[in-house]
Amino acid sequence: MAEDTARWGFETRAIHAGQDPDPRTGAVIVPIYQTSTFAQDGVGGLREGYEYSRTANPTRTAMEQALAALEGGRHCLAFASGMAATDVALRTMCRPGDHVILGNDAYGGTFRLLDKVLTQWGVEYTAADLSDPAATRAAVRPNTKVVWAETPTNPLLGIADIAALAAVATEAGARLVIDNTFATPYLQTPLALGADVVLHSTTKYLGGHSDVVGGALITDDTELNEGFAFLRNSAGAVPGPFDSWLTLRGAKTLAVRMERHCDNAERIVEALTGHPKVTAVHYPGLETHPGHDTAAKQMRRPGGMVSFQVAGGEQAALEVAARTELFTLGESLGGIESLIEHPGRMTHASTAGSLLEVPSDLIRLSVGIESASDLVADLLAALG
């Protein structure tokens, strides 16, 4: 993070880091440089380093500088999607014959990429309980190159101790990647706890308005960042200028949105806990949650995601998901509107029959910023 932004608070960085007024016109908001190429002052005479928008674009640069500042990192690279960022990270850090440790409660897309794509390239993986450092250490092999963790996890909201995982990864000579999509840099900064790389699906809370798809990798490691940049430029999975602008626009209000997401999630957890048709509630803010103490140590607040299980099995869960009015049935998360989904049939269908298979009676909520009382009433009516 640049010295001139390091002293600022989070909200100030979100609004100002990488976002100086335009020097030519004075525009307060970063312009959308909707161009594919840039004029050169003679062969190789690049203006501020820009030659072609796959390689770099000023709107994207501003967004990358802002996200790096929010995570407290030196470097950020933006991608066309969270999965594009995941792909570049894994293919940069791994070679055929290398081994990855993946959480046993991971996003279905990450699992699918490893299990169905990268294994065809010769990369091996082991699913382990990353909430248990001993289990993580037991999964290490001589060829382990990456420990890939989500905390909180998707969809069961498990918690891993980032500092403890960093110690295991360091001992193994591996790199620790933390998918910080659920927590966001407002609630948690993994680089400060020892992670080597932070990944985001910027589609989610960072964009925050369900109108853009993107991803990002943040790191302090200059050599690793250069590897990411080389592969991104070679493979081309970059966000366009307008996508970058939308993400930057969304990140400006991340702090105030996350506070409301958390407030509403806590109200919903209170309403679901003890409900006769709810058999379990998964939320790191609950003292009964096995990762509560770790979450309290490394997170500002428990977040805006809630998962719960219902009596009556899969069919009952499907019926609840179909009956809500304000909670929209749909994939994705982190937007201002509330979403409900059935992970087993939707986001995590690819994990069926594997060690990462999710319970069939599980419902996942992305709690939006609507009136909390309306959201609670909607869920209670759907439960019947």
Side-chain angles (χ1 to χ4, degrees), residues 73 83 100 107 116 169 177 195 200 223 242 264 329 333 342:
M83 287 312 305
V100 176
Y107 170 53
K116 302 296 192 296
V177 179
H200 282 282
E223 183 178 357
F242 188 47
N264 284 358
L329 180 64
L333 58 101
H342 183 268

Side-chain angles (χ1 to χ4, degrees), residues 19-22 26-30 252:
Q19 301 167 71
D20 292 336
D22 181 60
V28 172
I29 298 300
V30 173
K252 289 175 184 285

Side-chain angles (χ1 to χ4, degrees), residues 20-39:
D20 292 336
D22 181 60
R24 187 171 70 87
T25 66
V28 172
I29 298 300
V30 173
I32 302 170
Y33 288 89
Q34 194 68 47
T35 183
S36 60
T37 193
F38 301 83

Side-chain angles (χ1 to χ4, degrees), residues 104-105 129-132 150-161 182 188 265-266 269 273 279-299 301-309 362:
N104 62 359
D105 172 25
D129 180 4
L130 301 187
S131 68
D132 180 357
E150 301 168 15
T151 181
T153 61
N154 182 7
L156 287 167
L157 299 171
I159 298 294
D161 186 322
F182 271 27
Q188 177 174 273
E266 289 170 358
V269 167
T273 301
T279 59
V281 179
H282 305 280
Y283 187 65
L286 289 171
E287 292 186 1
T288 54
H289 188 287
H292 173 77
D293 291 343
T294 300
K297 177 180 67 174
Q298 66 190 22
M299 296 177 70
R301 295 188 67 181
M305 299 298 297
V306 179
S307 291
F308 66 101
Q309 292 170 260
L362 184 73

Side-chain angles (χ1 to χ4, degrees), residues 192-237:
L193 298 171
D196 296 288
V197 181
V198 172
L199 175 135
H200 282 282
S201 170
T202 57
T203 309
K204 313 306 194 296
Y205 287 109
L206 284 168
H209 293 75
S210 300
D211 55 10
V212 62
V213 173
L217 295 173
I218 301 100
T219 183
D220 284 331
D221 188 321
T222 298
E223 183 178 357
L224 188 57
N225 183 69
E226 290 173 352
F228 294 157
F230 177 82
L231 185 51
R232 182 186 69 171
N233 189 50
S234 300

Side-chain angles (χ1 to χ4, degrees), residues 21-64:
D22 181 60
R24 187 171 70 87
T25 66
V28 172
I29 298 300
V30 173
I32 302 170
Y33 288 89
Q34 194 68 47
T35 183
S36 60
T37 193
F38 301 83
Q40 299 186 21
D41 299 320
V43 176
L46 307 183
R47 301 181 191 180
E48 298 187 28
Y50 295 104
E51 59 179 333
Y52 188 60
S53 276
R54 169 166 44 81
T55 305
N57 177 283
T59 311
R60 190 167 80 225
T61 298
M63 187 259 282
E64 291 171 337

